[in-house]
Every structure is written in structure tokens, then in C-alpha cells.
Short mmCIF file of all heavy atoms in Angstrom, two decimals:
data_model
loop_
_atom_site.label_atom_id
_atom_site.label_comp_id
_atom_site.label_asym_id
_atom_site.label_seq_id
_atom_site.Cartn_x
_atom_site.Cartn_y
_atom_site.Cartn_z
N ARG A 1 -4.49 5.04 11.81
CA ARG A 1 -3.18 4.55 11.35
C ARG A 1 -3.21 3.02 11.33
O ARG A 1 -3.48 2.35 12.36
CB ARG A 1 -2.08 4.97 12.35
CG ARG A 1 -0.66 4.63 11.77
CD ARG A 1 0.33 4.86 12.89
NE ARG A 1 1.70 4.84 12.35
CZ ARG A 1 2.76 4.50 13.07
NH1 ARG A 1 2.66 4.15 14.32
NH2 ARG A 1 4.00 4.57 12.52
N LEU A 2 -3.04 2.45 10.14
CA LEU A 2 -3.00 1.05 9.96
C LEU A 2 -1.54 0.52 10.03
O LEU A 2 -0.63 1.24 9.59
CB LEU A 2 -3.59 0.61 8.61
CG LEU A 2 -5.02 1.13 8.25
CD1 LEU A 2 -5.44 0.57 6.95
CD2 LEU A 2 -5.97 0.75 9.37
N SER A 3 -1.43 -0.63 10.57
CA SER A 3 -0.04 -1.30 10.63
C SER A 3 -0.17 -2.71 10.04
O SER A 3 -1.23 -3.35 10.10
CB SER A 3 0.39 -1.46 12.10
OG SER A 3 0.56 -0.14 12.71
N CYS A 4 0.89 -3.13 9.47
CA CYS A 4 0.95 -4.47 8.90
C CYS A 4 2.31 -5.10 9.24
O CYS A 4 3.31 -4.54 8.73
CB CYS A 4 0.71 -4.48 7.43
SG CYS A 4 1.02 -6.08 6.58
N ALA A 5 2.29 -6.12 10.03
CA ALA A 5 3.57 -6.76 10.47
C ALA A 5 3.79 -8.08 9.70
O ALA A 5 2.88 -8.92 9.70
CB ALA A 5 3.56 -6.93 11.95
N ALA A 6 4.94 -8.24 9.17
CA ALA A 6 5.31 -9.50 8.52
C ALA A 6 5.94 -10.46 9.48
O ALA A 6 6.63 -10.05 10.46
CB ALA A 6 6.27 -9.25 7.33
N SER A 7 5.69 -11.73 9.31
CA SER A 7 6.17 -12.78 10.24
C SER A 7 7.67 -13.07 10.05
O SER A 7 8.21 -13.77 10.92
CB SER A 7 5.37 -14.07 10.07
OG SER A 7 5.53 -14.54 8.75
N LYS A 8 8.28 -12.61 9.02
CA LYS A 8 9.65 -12.86 8.81
C LYS A 8 10.31 -11.66 8.10
O LYS A 8 9.57 -10.77 7.68
CB LYS A 8 9.93 -14.14 8.01
CG LYS A 8 9.25 -14.10 6.66
CD LYS A 8 9.36 -15.43 5.93
CE LYS A 8 10.76 -15.75 5.41
NZ LYS A 8 10.79 -16.98 4.59
N SER A 9 11.57 -11.64 8.05
CA SER A 9 12.32 -10.53 7.44
C SER A 9 11.94 -10.37 5.96
O SER A 9 11.89 -11.34 5.17
CB SER A 9 13.78 -10.74 7.58
OG SER A 9 14.50 -9.65 7.07
N ILE A 10 11.64 -9.10 5.59
CA ILE A 10 11.31 -8.77 4.23
C ILE A 10 12.48 -7.94 3.63
O ILE A 10 12.95 -7.03 4.27
CB ILE A 10 10.05 -7.94 4.11
CG1 ILE A 10 8.83 -8.70 4.79
CG2 ILE A 10 9.75 -7.51 2.69
CD1 ILE A 10 8.42 -9.88 4.02
N PHE A 11 12.92 -8.34 2.44
CA PHE A 11 13.97 -7.58 1.84
C PHE A 11 13.62 -6.12 1.72
O PHE A 11 12.47 -5.75 1.39
CB PHE A 11 14.39 -8.13 0.44
CG PHE A 11 14.66 -9.57 0.40
CD1 PHE A 11 14.14 -10.39 -0.54
CD2 PHE A 11 15.54 -10.11 1.34
CE1 PHE A 11 14.46 -11.71 -0.62
CE2 PHE A 11 15.87 -11.48 1.32
CZ PHE A 11 15.32 -12.28 0.33
N SER A 12 14.57 -5.25 1.99
CA SER A 12 14.23 -3.81 1.94
C SER A 12 13.91 -3.37 0.54
O SER A 12 13.27 -2.32 0.34
CB SER A 12 15.44 -3.02 2.43
OG SER A 12 16.60 -3.24 1.67
N SER A 13 14.20 -4.19 -0.45
CA SER A 13 13.90 -3.83 -1.86
C SER A 13 12.55 -4.42 -2.30
O SER A 13 12.15 -4.23 -3.45
CB SER A 13 15.00 -4.38 -2.79
OG SER A 13 15.10 -5.79 -2.62
N THR A 14 11.85 -5.13 -1.37
CA THR A 14 10.57 -5.71 -1.76
C THR A 14 9.47 -4.71 -1.62
O THR A 14 9.38 -3.92 -0.66
CB THR A 14 10.28 -6.88 -0.80
OG1 THR A 14 11.32 -7.88 -0.86
CG2 THR A 14 8.90 -7.51 -1.13
N VAL A 15 8.58 -4.65 -2.63
CA VAL A 15 7.44 -3.79 -2.63
C VAL A 15 6.45 -4.19 -1.52
O VAL A 15 6.14 -5.39 -1.39
CB VAL A 15 6.74 -3.74 -3.93
CG1 VAL A 15 5.47 -2.88 -3.87
CG2 VAL A 15 7.65 -3.26 -5.06
N MET A 16 6.00 -3.24 -0.73
CA MET A 16 4.97 -3.45 0.23
C MET A 16 3.86 -2.45 -0.07
O MET A 16 4.12 -1.33 -0.48
CB MET A 16 5.45 -3.33 1.69
CG MET A 16 6.56 -4.33 2.00
SD MET A 16 6.93 -4.33 3.78
CE MET A 16 5.59 -5.25 4.46
N GLY A 17 2.64 -2.83 0.18
CA GLY A 17 1.58 -1.91 -0.14
C GLY A 17 0.27 -2.14 0.56
O GLY A 17 0.12 -3.13 1.32
N TRP A 18 -0.61 -1.21 0.35
CA TRP A 18 -2.01 -1.29 0.86
C TRP A 18 -2.97 -1.27 -0.26
O TRP A 18 -2.84 -0.46 -1.20
CB TRP A 18 -2.24 -0.14 1.86
CG TRP A 18 -1.52 -0.26 3.11
CD1 TRP A 18 -0.32 0.28 3.46
CD2 TRP A 18 -1.90 -0.98 4.29
NE1 TRP A 18 0.08 -0.04 4.73
CE2 TRP A 18 -0.89 -0.84 5.27
CE3 TRP A 18 -3.02 -1.77 4.65
CZ2 TRP A 18 -0.98 -1.41 6.55
CZ3 TRP A 18 -3.08 -2.32 5.87
CH2 TRP A 18 -2.09 -2.16 6.82
N TYR A 19 -3.97 -2.11 -0.16
CA TYR A 19 -5.09 -2.13 -1.12
C TYR A 19 -6.39 -2.06 -0.32
O TYR A 19 -6.40 -2.31 0.89
CB TYR A 19 -5.06 -3.41 -1.98
CG TYR A 19 -3.88 -3.45 -2.89
CD1 TYR A 19 -2.60 -3.74 -2.41
CD2 TYR A 19 -4.04 -3.34 -4.29
CE1 TYR A 19 -1.54 -3.78 -3.27
CE2 TYR A 19 -2.96 -3.41 -5.16
CZ TYR A 19 -1.69 -3.64 -4.61
OH TYR A 19 -0.64 -3.71 -5.50
N ARG A 20 -7.48 -1.75 -0.99
CA ARG A 20 -8.77 -1.74 -0.28
C ARG A 20 -9.85 -2.26 -1.19
O ARG A 20 -9.80 -2.16 -2.41
CB ARG A 20 -9.07 -0.33 0.24
CG ARG A 20 -9.38 0.70 -0.88
CD ARG A 20 -9.54 2.08 -0.25
NE ARG A 20 -9.84 3.11 -1.22
CZ ARG A 20 -9.90 4.43 -0.95
NH1 ARG A 20 -9.70 4.86 0.26
NH2 ARG A 20 -10.16 5.26 -1.94
N GLN A 21 -10.90 -2.76 -0.55
CA GLN A 21 -12.04 -3.28 -1.30
C GLN A 21 -13.35 -2.86 -0.58
O GLN A 21 -13.56 -3.27 0.57
CB GLN A 21 -12.00 -4.79 -1.46
CG GLN A 21 -13.06 -5.36 -2.35
CD GLN A 21 -12.79 -6.79 -2.71
OE1 GLN A 21 -12.01 -7.50 -2.09
NE2 GLN A 21 -13.48 -7.22 -3.80
N ALA A 22 -14.13 -2.05 -1.27
CA ALA A 22 -15.43 -1.60 -0.74
C ALA A 22 -16.47 -2.59 -1.20
O ALA A 22 -16.29 -3.33 -2.20
CB ALA A 22 -15.72 -0.18 -1.24
N PRO A 23 -17.57 -2.66 -0.50
CA PRO A 23 -18.67 -3.61 -0.86
C PRO A 23 -19.12 -3.40 -2.25
O PRO A 23 -19.38 -2.25 -2.71
CB PRO A 23 -19.80 -3.21 0.15
CG PRO A 23 -19.09 -2.68 1.28
CD PRO A 23 -17.92 -1.95 0.75
N GLY A 24 -19.18 -4.49 -3.08
CA GLY A 24 -19.61 -4.43 -4.42
C GLY A 24 -18.63 -3.87 -5.38
O GLY A 24 -18.93 -3.72 -6.59
N LYS A 25 -17.42 -3.65 -4.95
CA LYS A 25 -16.38 -3.06 -5.82
C LYS A 25 -15.12 -3.95 -5.84
O LYS A 25 -14.94 -4.83 -4.99
CB LYS A 25 -15.94 -1.66 -5.38
CG LYS A 25 -17.08 -0.66 -5.49
CD LYS A 25 -16.55 0.72 -5.19
CE LYS A 25 -17.64 1.76 -5.35
NZ LYS A 25 -17.11 3.19 -5.09
N GLN A 26 -14.32 -3.75 -6.87
CA GLN A 26 -13.09 -4.53 -6.96
C GLN A 26 -12.03 -4.00 -6.05
O GLN A 26 -12.07 -2.85 -5.65
CB GLN A 26 -12.55 -4.47 -8.45
CG GLN A 26 -13.41 -5.21 -9.45
CD GLN A 26 -12.75 -5.25 -10.82
OE1 GLN A 26 -12.03 -4.40 -11.20
NE2 GLN A 26 -13.02 -6.32 -11.58
N ARG A 27 -11.07 -4.86 -5.68
CA ARG A 27 -9.98 -4.40 -4.85
C ARG A 27 -9.11 -3.42 -5.64
O ARG A 27 -8.85 -3.63 -6.83
CB ARG A 27 -9.13 -5.61 -4.48
CG ARG A 27 -8.07 -5.30 -3.38
CD ARG A 27 -7.41 -6.61 -2.88
NE ARG A 27 -8.33 -7.50 -2.22
CZ ARG A 27 -7.99 -8.60 -1.59
NH1 ARG A 27 -6.70 -8.91 -1.47
NH2 ARG A 27 -8.89 -9.38 -1.04
N GLU A 28 -8.72 -2.35 -4.96
CA GLU A 28 -7.99 -1.30 -5.67
C GLU A 28 -6.71 -0.94 -4.87
O GLU A 28 -6.67 -1.03 -3.66
CB GLU A 28 -8.82 -0.03 -5.87
CG GLU A 28 -9.26 0.66 -4.61
CD GLU A 28 -10.06 1.91 -4.83
OE1 GLU A 28 -10.33 2.24 -6.00
OE2 GLU A 28 -10.36 2.64 -3.84
N LEU A 29 -5.73 -0.43 -5.62
CA LEU A 29 -4.47 -0.01 -5.01
C LEU A 29 -4.74 1.27 -4.22
O LEU A 29 -5.46 2.18 -4.66
CB LEU A 29 -3.47 0.27 -6.10
CG LEU A 29 -2.17 0.99 -5.68
CD1 LEU A 29 -1.28 0.06 -4.86
CD2 LEU A 29 -1.43 1.56 -6.85
N VAL A 30 -4.15 1.36 -3.05
CA VAL A 30 -4.16 2.58 -2.21
C VAL A 30 -2.76 3.25 -2.26
O VAL A 30 -2.60 4.41 -2.60
CB VAL A 30 -4.56 2.29 -0.77
CG1 VAL A 30 -4.47 3.60 0.06
CG2 VAL A 30 -5.98 1.71 -0.71
N ALA A 31 -1.76 2.47 -1.89
CA ALA A 31 -0.37 3.01 -1.91
C ALA A 31 0.65 1.88 -1.84
O ALA A 31 0.30 0.79 -1.35
CB ALA A 31 -0.15 3.93 -0.68
N THR A 32 1.76 2.10 -2.44
CA THR A 32 2.87 1.13 -2.37
C THR A 32 4.17 1.86 -2.06
O THR A 32 4.32 3.08 -2.32
CB THR A 32 3.07 0.41 -3.72
OG1 THR A 32 3.42 1.33 -4.75
CG2 THR A 32 1.85 -0.37 -4.13
N ILE A 33 5.13 1.11 -1.47
CA ILE A 33 6.39 1.65 -1.08
C ILE A 33 7.51 0.60 -1.29
O ILE A 33 7.30 -0.53 -0.91
CB ILE A 33 6.36 2.16 0.33
CG1 ILE A 33 7.71 2.82 0.73
CG2 ILE A 33 5.99 1.08 1.32
CD1 ILE A 33 7.68 3.58 2.05
N VAL A 34 8.61 1.04 -1.88
CA VAL A 34 9.83 0.28 -1.85
C VAL A 34 10.76 0.93 -0.84
O VAL A 34 11.21 0.38 0.17
CB VAL A 34 10.48 0.19 -3.24
CG1 VAL A 34 11.79 -0.64 -3.08
CG2 VAL A 34 9.51 -0.47 -4.23
N ASN A 35 11.07 2.20 -1.08
CA ASN A 35 11.80 2.99 -0.13
C ASN A 35 11.29 4.42 -0.25
O ASN A 35 10.35 4.68 -0.98
CB ASN A 35 13.31 2.94 -0.46
CG ASN A 35 13.59 3.25 -1.91
OD1 ASN A 35 13.12 4.31 -2.42
ND2 ASN A 35 14.29 2.39 -2.62
N ILE A 36 11.86 5.33 0.55
CA ILE A 36 11.29 6.68 0.62
C ILE A 36 11.28 7.36 -0.72
O ILE A 36 10.48 8.27 -0.97
CB ILE A 36 12.02 7.53 1.66
CG1 ILE A 36 11.27 8.74 1.99
CG2 ILE A 36 13.45 7.85 1.15
CD1 ILE A 36 11.79 9.52 3.21
N GLY A 37 12.10 6.92 -1.64
CA GLY A 37 12.14 7.52 -2.93
C GLY A 37 11.29 6.82 -3.98
O GLY A 37 11.25 7.28 -5.15
N SER A 38 10.59 5.80 -3.59
CA SER A 38 9.78 5.01 -4.48
C SER A 38 8.43 4.68 -3.87
O SER A 38 8.24 3.61 -3.29
CB SER A 38 10.50 3.71 -4.89
OG SER A 38 9.69 2.95 -5.80
N ILE A 39 7.52 5.67 -3.92
CA ILE A 39 6.22 5.59 -3.29
C ILE A 39 5.14 5.98 -4.33
O ILE A 39 5.39 6.91 -5.12
CB ILE A 39 6.09 6.52 -2.07
CG1 ILE A 39 7.02 6.05 -0.95
CG2 ILE A 39 4.62 6.61 -1.60
CD1 ILE A 39 7.05 7.02 0.20
N THR A 40 4.11 5.24 -4.37
CA THR A 40 2.95 5.58 -5.27
C THR A 40 1.68 5.64 -4.44
O THR A 40 1.55 4.94 -3.44
CB THR A 40 2.76 4.56 -6.39
OG1 THR A 40 2.48 3.29 -5.82
CG2 THR A 40 4.04 4.46 -7.22
N TYR A 41 0.75 6.51 -4.88
CA TYR A 41 -0.53 6.68 -4.24
C TYR A 41 -1.61 6.68 -5.30
O TYR A 41 -1.42 7.20 -6.42
CB TYR A 41 -0.64 8.01 -3.47
CG TYR A 41 0.26 8.09 -2.24
CD1 TYR A 41 1.44 8.79 -2.24
CD2 TYR A 41 -0.09 7.48 -1.02
CE1 TYR A 41 2.26 8.91 -1.14
CE2 TYR A 41 0.68 7.55 0.05
CZ TYR A 41 1.88 8.27 0.02
OH TYR A 41 2.70 8.34 1.15
N ALA A 42 -2.78 6.17 -4.96
CA ALA A 42 -3.96 6.42 -5.75
C ALA A 42 -4.30 7.86 -5.74
O ALA A 42 -4.12 8.54 -4.72
CB ALA A 42 -5.12 5.50 -5.24
N ASP A 43 -4.83 8.33 -6.85
CA ASP A 43 -5.15 9.78 -6.90
C ASP A 43 -6.17 10.15 -5.81
O ASP A 43 -6.14 11.23 -5.31
CB ASP A 43 -5.76 10.11 -8.30
CG ASP A 43 -4.76 10.14 -9.35
OD1 ASP A 43 -3.53 10.23 -9.07
OD2 ASP A 43 -5.12 10.05 -10.56
N SER A 44 -7.03 9.21 -5.47
CA SER A 44 -8.10 9.51 -4.50
C SER A 44 -7.59 9.71 -3.08
O SER A 44 -8.29 10.28 -2.21
CB SER A 44 -9.15 8.36 -4.51
OG SER A 44 -8.48 7.14 -4.18
N VAL A 45 -6.38 9.29 -2.78
CA VAL A 45 -5.85 9.44 -1.41
C VAL A 45 -4.62 10.40 -1.32
O VAL A 45 -4.14 10.68 -0.22
CB VAL A 45 -5.50 8.08 -0.80
CG1 VAL A 45 -6.62 7.13 -0.89
CG2 VAL A 45 -4.24 7.48 -1.49
N LYS A 46 -4.14 10.86 -2.45
CA LYS A 46 -2.97 11.77 -2.44
C LYS A 46 -3.22 13.01 -1.58
O LYS A 46 -4.26 13.59 -1.67
CB LYS A 46 -2.65 12.21 -3.88
CG LYS A 46 -1.91 11.14 -4.68
CD LYS A 46 -1.59 11.66 -6.04
CE LYS A 46 -0.90 10.60 -6.90
NZ LYS A 46 -0.61 11.08 -8.28
N GLY A 47 -2.25 13.33 -0.75
CA GLY A 47 -2.37 14.47 0.14
C GLY A 47 -3.07 14.18 1.43
O GLY A 47 -3.10 15.00 2.32
N ARG A 48 -3.71 12.97 1.52
CA ARG A 48 -4.40 12.60 2.80
C ARG A 48 -3.79 11.38 3.45
O ARG A 48 -3.79 11.33 4.69
CB ARG A 48 -5.88 12.31 2.46
CG ARG A 48 -6.66 13.46 1.85
CD ARG A 48 -8.12 13.15 1.74
NE ARG A 48 -8.42 12.03 0.86
CZ ARG A 48 -9.08 10.89 1.27
NH1 ARG A 48 -9.46 10.82 2.52
NH2 ARG A 48 -9.28 9.92 0.44
#
């Protein structure tokens, strides 16, 4: 379980997300969230 804490208040409407970069590869989207009704996942991680 990864956590990411912001140093100040973030608007609840602001997009927050996770990206990853493997050696020799470009940074890629993993998942983003605005609210529970607005979430996206990379196909490679859906369901996991």
C-alpha cells in the first residue's frame, strides 16, 4: 500500500494520481482519482 501526503490542503476537485517508471521505460499512468465517481486505471493494473 503506497501513501502520498500533501503538505497543504488540496481541493477535493483536484486530480491526484500515481504514475510509475521502470528502468529504460517512459513514465506511465497507473491510476488517477478526483472523487469516487471519477477514477481511471491503466489496463495493466485494473482489478489488482
